[in-house]
Structure formats: structure tokens, C-alpha cells
Amino acid sequence: MAPPNRRPETVTRAQGGALVHLPRPAPEPGPLPDPRRGDVDEWGRSESMRRLARQLYDPMYRYWFRAEWDGIDKIPREGGALIVANHAAAIPSDAPVIHHGIETELGRPVYGLADYLFRSIPVVGTLWSRVGGVPAHPENAYRLLREQQQLVAVFPEGSKGPGKVYNERYQLRRFGRGGFVEIAMRAGVPIIPIAVLGAEESMPIVYKSAALARLTGLPYVPITANHLLFGPLLGTILYFPAKFRLKVLDPITFDVAPDQERYAKSRIMEEAEAIRVKLQATIYEMLQQRRSVWFG
């Protein structure tokens, strides 16, 4: 019997027949305790909350917007990818349609990058995080794409997309300075463009108040056709039943090595503009083929 307070030793026979005592290897350390409660991940996303959101949103997705996808199989089922799409509606309706469609059809979670404004609003900010919203910062995008190999959705038009009035519908705004292209290059992931029809008509803006926007600090304060028809309260939450069509374009990859300190700014701007032009041309083709705003 081994002496008290001593680790038992193993015995082996060395060359020449002598017995040699060898210490028994220490056990592998177990995982550190996770201080988080429930299923909330480091970004604030909760799968139980997402599951509830999918259950509540599914009737709107299937029976109100009647979303139809073309080419959803082009979105990879594993590995990181940056999803890029056009953006519209006073309160954007395209983001939840894209997230819901990918999560229900492919079974992959989607993290959405958006302005920090959403995170700063009480209650709304917490709910936004629980359903997959992440502040749009390059390091957040890099970690999700490169280190965690997740799907990330971004709308390069920013607030200028949903801030368009109705007579500017389906005219894509500039894609900023192409930061989304640089992130994809640095993370070594493809960009998946998605052209969306239907969002522009779901909550069209007929007027924007510049004075109220300055007063509130919001990018825009709209008066929508929904407000005029349903009133200020219901008009803020009730969309028109526009038919949604989403077309996934071929993945775009870049022949550059990831994790470089810098990338050519001219190349970044050229790639971003090429993606915008390709999306714009696809949207025009889809509009020509569409027979009805409400029935597709």
C-alpha cells in the first residue's frame, strides 16, 4: 500500500532486470466552469430566444411575405462566409427574412452586423443581441468569420438603404468605403451576395423629417404609407404583404492571403463597386420578371 498523501507509483523493469519506480502521469485538467447562465453565447445570442423568434416569425415569413429563394444552396453549410444584401423599408424587413430563411432552410445560425445604435436602446438592445445582433465593428466581424467560422450578414448601404423614399426604390446606394470586402479578405472567407425584392414595398417612405432627425439624433425620421393607412402606432409595426423574392448570387472569393496587415485600398473599392453593380443588375432583371408587387 502506498504511504499516505503520496501518489501511487507504477513499477517497471529497467534494462538488466532492476525494478524502477515511475510516477503515474497526472490526469488531464478538466474544462473550466462556464460562468454564463443559460445558452447565451459571448455575443449575447441565445438559441432558445432564436427558436422562439423563429416560431413567432414563421407565419409572417411563409404566409405574409411568402418568401421564395433562388440559389439558397450557394450559401455554404459549414465554414465562415459574409452575406451581403440590399437594404430597404423604413424599419428594415429584409434582415429578418434573410436570417429566418437561412436558419430554417440550412440550419445555420446567422449573426447580423448593425449600427451600435440598436445595442444602446434599452430593452430593444438586449432583444437585438439575443436574436443574433452584433455591433458592426471590424474586429467583431473578423472573430466571427475567421476564428469561429460563422455566417455573418451585413448591409453595406447602411442607413441610406432603408432611408430611401419610395420614388428611389431599388436604386442601391454606395457601399461605403468597401470595409466589408477588406474584412472578407482578412478573414479568408467568401462573400455571398443576395438580391432582395419586396422589402421596398413592405414599408415605403413617403416623407422624411430632417428637423426631427436632428432633434432625435436618428439617421432619419420617416412618414410611411403604413402610417397614413394604419395610423402612427400600427403603422410602425405592421408591414404591407409584399411578395419577397431572394436570389443568391455565386460566391465571390479573393486571390489574396488572409491576415495581411493591409490590403490595397484601390482593390477593395473596385471589388465593392463590382459587387454593388452586380447586385443592382440582378435586381433590375428580377424587377423586369416580376408581374406583381403583391403576388410576385
Side-chain angles (χ1 to χ4, degrees), residues 175-244:
F175 279 9
R177 299 181 179 179
F180 70 99
V181 171
E182 185 174 4
I183 287 297
M185 288 179 173
R186 191 154 70 94
V189 300
I191 288 178
I192 315 292
I194 300 178
V196 183
L197 290 191
E200 298 275 11
E201 294 88 4
S202 66
M203 190 176 284
I205 297 175
V206 296
Y207 175 76
K208 291 188 296 185
S209 172
L212 285 177
R214 288 192 299 269
L215 183 64
T216 60
L218 297 173
Y220 57 91
V221 176
I223 303 298
T224 69
N226 308 61
H227 289 141
L228 300 178
L229 186 61
F230 302 124
L233 180 59
L234 282 178
T236 302
I237 61 175
L238 186 59
Y239 291 104
F240 291 140
K243 170 74 174 180
F244 265 70

Side-chain angles (χ1 to χ4, degrees), residues 75-135:
I75 299 174
R77 292 183 176 272
E78 58 183 19
L82 184 61
I83 296 166
V84 172
N86 54 303
H87 207 24
I91 298 176
S93 54
D94 38 36
V97 167
I98 290 173
H99 286 223
H100 187 83
I102 293 174
E103 292 189 8
T104 54
E105 299 293 335
L106 301 183
R108 291 198 65 180
V110 181
Y111 290 83
L113 300 181
D115 194 282
Y116 190 81
L117 172 68
F118 291 95
R119 187 67 177 268
S120 64
I121 302 174
V123 181
V124 173
T126 300
L127 292 175
W128 177 68
S129 295
R130 292 295 181 268
V131 296
V134 176

